């Protein structure tokens, strides 16, 4: 199983992020929410998407009955001041997702 916890940030706090697993949309996550999804063991690819922007793709491996946690969000701090630069030139890094080490 994967658990994704999303931060709340002002740039897209009223929008949902699409959760893409192995190149298939499996659901949405809203600001401040947690998204859970059961997975079979093996290697997987995960990223988030909003409009034409997305996060980097991350690869991970799940073992039988393992729960992996991820943290995600959008532009915050200084990056939110250069919003238009990100949606134009860094659209594959507009969102972020990282695995939380247990």
């Amino acid at each position: 199983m994967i658990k994704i916890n999303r931060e709340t940030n002002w740039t897209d706090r009223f929008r949902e992020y699409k959760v893409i697993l192995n190149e298939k949309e499996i659901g949405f996550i809203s600001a401040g929410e947690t998204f859970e999804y059961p997975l079979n063991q093996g290697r997987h690819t995960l990223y988030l998407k909003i409009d034409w922007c997305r996060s980097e793709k991350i690869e991970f491996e799940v073992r039988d009955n393992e729960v992996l946690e991820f943290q995600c969000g959008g532009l915050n701090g200084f990056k939110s001041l250069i919003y238009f630069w990100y949606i134009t030139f860094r659209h594959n890094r507009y969102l972020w997702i990282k695995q939380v080490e247990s």
Side-chain angles (χ1 to χ4, degrees):
M1 172 182 280
I2 58 171
K3 282 184 172 182
I4 305 171
N5 300 304
R6 179 177 159 189
E7 291 184 344
T8 302
N9 58 323
W10 71 270
T11 52
D12 45 53
R13 70 182 168 271
F14 300 116
R15 312 249 344 257
E16 294 180 317
Y17 298 163
K18 294 178 186 175
V19 180
I20 313 294
L21 180 72
N22 302 325
E23 300 302 328
K24 294 180 185 172
E25 184 180 311
I26 60 167
F28 297 90
I29 185 170
S30 297
E33 290 188 345
T34 298
F35 176 85
E36 295 182 1
Y37 191 79
L39 279 182
N40 295 326
Q41 65 182 27
R43 294 202 56 75
H44 301 278
T45 303
L46 177 68
Y47 66 97
L48 304 171
K49 190 169 183 182
I50 185 170
D51 299 328
W52 66 89
C53 297
R54 66 173 178 84
S55 68
E56 289 187 291
K57 295 180 181 182
I58 57 174
E59 292 187 9
F60 60 95
E61 188 166 346
V62 175
R63 294 184 195 105
D64 200 24
N65 296 321
E66 184 177 31
V67 177
L68 298 179
E69 289 196 45
F70 297 87
Q71 192 75 22
C72 73
L75 297 179
N76 55 21
F78 173 74
K79 291 179 180 178
S80 62
L81 298 175
I82 53 174
Y83 170 82
F84 290 108
W85 187 79
Y86 267 88
I87 64 173
T88 305
F89 300 108
R90 306 268 303 184
H91 55 90
N92 289 346
R93 292 181 185 221
Y94 176 82
L95 303 177
W96 59 269
I97 186 166
K98 62 183 178 181
Q99 187 172 350
V100 177
E101 298 299 323
S102 41

